[in-house]
Amino acid sequence: MKLEDILNKYFGYSAFRPGQREVIEKVLDGKDVIALLPTGMGKSLCYQLPGYIFDKPVLIVSPLLSLMQDQVDQMKQFKEKRVVALNSFLNPMQKRASIQNLHDYRFIFISPEMLLQEQVQQKLNSMELSLIVVDEAHCISQWGFDFRPDYLRIGQVLGKPNRPPIMALSATATQKVLGDIEAYLNMDSPYKFIHSVDRPNIHLGKMLFQGREEKIEWILDHVTKTAGPGIIYTQSRLKTESLSQRLLQSGVTTAAYHGGMDPLDRQFIQQQFIDGSLDWIVATNAFGMGVHKQNVRQVIHESLPSNMANYMQEIGRAGRDGEDSLAILLYAEGDEELAKFVGIDDYPVDAHVDSYISYRSRNELPTSMIHNGEISETAFRVLDYWMNQLQPADVKQRLSSMKYEKMRAVEEVMDLIETNTCMREQLVHYFGQTLENRPEDCCQCCGLQYENIIRVREIIDAPSKELNWKRRIEQLLIGFS
DNA sequence: CGGTGAAGCCATAAGGCTTCACCGGTGCGTTATT
């Protein structure tokens, strides 16, 4: 059967989107693949279709529980029953049963942490996989080094002899991220499908201010006068709350979103943003992955993103429908200091290395460092990873060079602020590509006028929009209680 | 590191000034405790 026939039979499409066919063919040939495909261009099809050709299960490593759940739900809607998400949502009994029957599933979603568990390893070693997929593979680079070190171990546990091909998927990756993906997944000269990172319909703005309050004033003014939907990225949880409060007072339908919130609230707010009952979201960088919304018109950075990869990822959430959109980077003097501080704040230091060694020499578990309040859980995991990889002196060396890298990454974002050359050109160049065409109203340095891109709200626009059904029901319920 | 805001200081009182404490992201899994 031809690939197109399979595509039609299982997915109902008549033609592949750019990149899909190449990527699938390589994998069927047994080759490793890194595919950078724009969001919404059918990344998941790249592993789902091979799943129907191969006889053996496809293993998909995924960074977020919510992401796994979405994908599983979606596949079940399409009548695929042989799909499972192996994660902490399962109770111990379900978990045991799932592991036991793992070989019977067609698609297995799993977190890196779960993947590394002994019992899972044992089972995986006893069975054959047809394909290993690492979804949102930039997480290896983005999170592996200082946050979720298990991301760096994926390659170690999956890289057995006679392993199936590995497919790494992402929307954007810098040269460095690409290198990290290839290295840490132990890939074998992978085929790379890389689309242009440029998104001509996203117009790039920047605004420089003296003080931080002025940025807020500008946002309040700008957001009340222009059309959403939009995302405002800021650095701290508190600020998401305070800024969204002020926007609410100005009549903007908005909500805060950050990692400290109740998961159900987060889900609810995300859903409201997607279905249009919220115009704006004020969020930390917790917001974004797995948010499939086509018509985001604006992305505003109230504070500096911590590196270019994040910046690209975050502005990339605008204009997925291809319509003109605006990404505005705000800067006030000294912002880079905060970005640097936050970047290296929760990070092991030399004293932690020494302490770790002394625990070991006393035959005590280094994990006690956490319970004794010496170190955060996150920093400990990072420390523990490197202590198991390198000699202590090298660990210190490594930690300091990683800190330096983080500060340098902030400086690279500062280049966007400080230089007066085309922002698009800088961005694209940073990703190791060259810019083919410059769109009209390209960026701040090419004479961008915001009002050419974003509809200015008419004064007649009532501040409170028509209530949708969800809100109506909520109000009814409040009325009765 | 740096911004912010509350408290303390002065002493005609009031408001202006200094000092100082506080705060600052991303998620998995597991488990002890309300």
Side-chain angles (χ1 to χ4, degrees):
Chain A
M1 199 146 69
K2 275 171 51 186
L3 280 183
E4 271 80 4
D5 296 333
I6 300 169
L7 180 71
N8 196 281
K9 180 178 168 195
Y10 287 101
F11 302 92
Y13 300 130
S14 52
F16 284 104
R17 287 177 173 176
Q20 287 178 332
R21 177 179 251 286
E22 294 95 307
V23 167
I24 291 169
E25 279 173 346
K26 294 295 169 187
V27 161
L28 293 178
D29 269 359
K31 289 204 168 57
D32 289 345
V33 172
I34 300 178
L36 301 191
L37 294 165
T39 324
M41 286 307 273
K43 265 186 298 183
S44 54
L45 189 115
C46 294
Y47 60 80
Q48 285 180 17
L49 193 143
Y52 287 103
I53 296 176
F54 292 125
D55 238 3
K56 291 166 269 176
V58 176
L59 182 76
I60 305 122
V61 182
S62 170
L64 300 181
L65 300 180
S66 58
L67 222 54
M68 289 186 224
Q69 221 54 42
D70 282 353
Q71 275 154 327
V72 169
D73 290 348
Q74 204 181 347
M75 290 172 94
K76 284 194 169 158
Q77 252 178 27
F78 280 88
K79 304 281 179 270
E80 175 55 65
K81 291 208 175 66
R82 291 165 60 190
V83 52
V84 68
L86 199 54
N87 58 37
S88 58
F89 283 166
L90 304 175
N91 65 38
M93 225 166 66
Q94 295 170 317
K95 183 179 165 189
R96 207 172 51 231
S98 300
I99 293 176
Q100 214 159 46
N101 303 321
L102 215 51
H103 54 275
D104 284 332
Y105 292 102
R106 196 190 289 276
F107 300 102
I108 304 162
F109 289 87
I110 196 166
S111 65
E113 287 82 4
M114 188 67 89
L115 175 68
L116 279 143
Q117 288 189 3
E118 186 70 34
Q119 29 182 342
V120 176
Q121 278 303 301
Q122 274 181 17
K123 178 65 187 181
L124 286 176
N125 283 336
S126 76
M127 56 187 265
E128 276 185 88
L129 297 168
S130 62
L131 175 64
I132 295 163
V133 180
V134 180
D135 200 11
E136 309 288 357
H138 57 275
C139 290
I140 291 170
S141 201
Q142 186 186 315
W143 282 348
F145 297 106
D146 60 358
F147 188 51
R148 293 174 67 180
D150 283 348
Y151 254 106
L152 303 183
R153 297 186 172 109
I154 298 176
Q156 293 170 16
V157 298
L158 292 176
K160 305 274 157 60
N162 299 325
R163 66 160 171 80
I166 297 179
M167 173 192 284
L169 299 171
S170 179
T172 49
T174 58
Q175 293 297 305
K176 176 190 182 302
V177 174
L178 278 176
D180 288 337
I181 291 174
E182 186 171 340
Y184 281 90
L185 290 180
N186 282 326
M187 290 178 117
D188 181 17
S189 43
Y191 170 78
K192 292 177 185 154
F193 181 88
I194 294 172
H195 72 98
S196 165
V197 291
D198 182 39
R199 301 269 304 277
N201 64 314
I202 301 178
H203 304 267
L204 307 167
K206 66 176 173 184
M207 307 275 301
L208 276 54
F209 298 88
Q210 292 295 317
R212 293 185 182 166
E213 180 56 25
E214 290 166 53
K215 284 190 299 189
I216 305 292
E217 301 281 326
W218 183 87
I219 290 175
L220 290 171
D221 183 64
H222 176 84
V223 168
T224 46
K225 283 185 183 155
T226 57
I231 306 169
I232 299 169
Y233 279 108
T234 185
Q235 188 93 45
S236 84
R237 295 172 173 186
L238 271 175
K239 201 172 250 170
T240 63
E241 312 263 3
S242 63
L243 183 50
S244 80
Q245 275 303 316
R246 291 178 72 172
L247 283 167
L248 268 176
Q249 282 159 12
S250 309
V252 180
T253 48
T254 180
Y257 183 104
H258 57 76
M261 290 165 49
D262 182 278
L264 280 176
D265 289 343
R266 286 175 63 168
Q267 209 183 344
F268 185 55
I269 287 166
Q270 179 176 318
Q271 195 47 50
Q272 281 189 306
F273 181 62
I274 290 173
D275 74 23
S277 34
L278 284 173
D279 246 355
W280 286 83
I281 289 276
V282 188
T284 61
N285 57 358
F287 186 77
M289 240 194 287
V291 177
H292 302 297
K293 186 172 172 68
Q294 298 300 303
N295 64 337
V296 176
R297 291 278 72 84
Q298 302 197 53
V299 172
I300 296 174
H301 277 88
E302 188 274 337
S303 43
L304 277 190
S306 47
N307 56 55
M308 292 292 256
N310 281 7
Y311 178 62
M312 198 60 152
Q313 206 100 36
E314 286 160 6
I315 65 173
R317 287 167 191 141
R320 289 191 182 154
D321 53 9
E323 301 288 316
D324 280 332
S325 308
L326 205 48
I328 307 176
L329 179 57
L330 306 188
Y331 172 78
E333 245 168 272
D335 277 358
E336 67 271 35
E337 302 305 328
L338 179 63
K340 286 180 192 170
F341 177 83
V342 170
I344 61 174
D345 177 35
D346 191 13
Y347 217 60
V349 295
D350 286 0
H352 290 137
V353 177
D354 299 333
S355 177
Y356 188 103
I357 296 167
S358 79
Y359 272 92
R360 258 191 194 165
S361 66
R362 294 197 302 265
N363 270 331
E364 287 179 55
L365 282 176
T367 41
S368 308
M369 292 173 71
I370 304 170
H371 311 120
N372 296 341
E374 284 177 53
I375 191 173
S376 77
E377 200 190 338
T378 303
F380 178 81
R381 262 199 318 277
V382 174
L383 175 65
D384 191 53
Y385 172 79
W386 291 109
M387 290 301 285
N388 283 302
Q389 300 288 320
L390 304 169
Q391 293 301 312
D394 296 332
V395 173
K396 289 183 179 176
Q397 177 67 43
R398 192 54 169 264
L399 290 175
S400 93
S401 72
M402 285 194 299
K403 260 187 199 177
Y404 175 77
E405 275 304 310
K406 287 213 138 197
M407 315 247 272
R408 211 177 55 109
V410 174
E411 291 295 337
E412 282 167 349
V413 181
M414 278 305 289
D415 282 348
L416 272 183
I417 298 288
E418 283 168 347
T419 61
N420 270 327
T421 52
C422 172
M423 294 171 75
R424 186 176 310 274
E425 209 158 75
Q426 285 187 68
L427 255 185
V428 169
H429 189 253
Y430 188 83
F431 280 75
Q433 303 181 358
T434 46
L435 186 60
E436 308 282 323
N437 295 303
R438 224 175 263 180
E440 250 180 82
D441 284 302
C442 169
C443 72
Q444 201 76 49
C445 306
C446 302
L448 164 65
Q449 301 285 321
Y450 299 162
E451 57 271 24
N452 289 351
I453 308 301
I454 286 298
R455 188 170 61 83
V456 176
R457 261 201 208 168
E458 282 155 39
I459 301 168
I460 327 156
D461 262 11
S464 61
K465 306 180 73 181
E466 197 192 333
L467 301 176
N468 67 6
W469 63 271
K470 247 186 199 159
R471 285 183 169 255
R472 278 190 216 140
I473 290 172
E474 268 178 69
Q475 295 219 328
L476 277 174
L477 289 175
I478 291 166
F480 280 116
S481 65

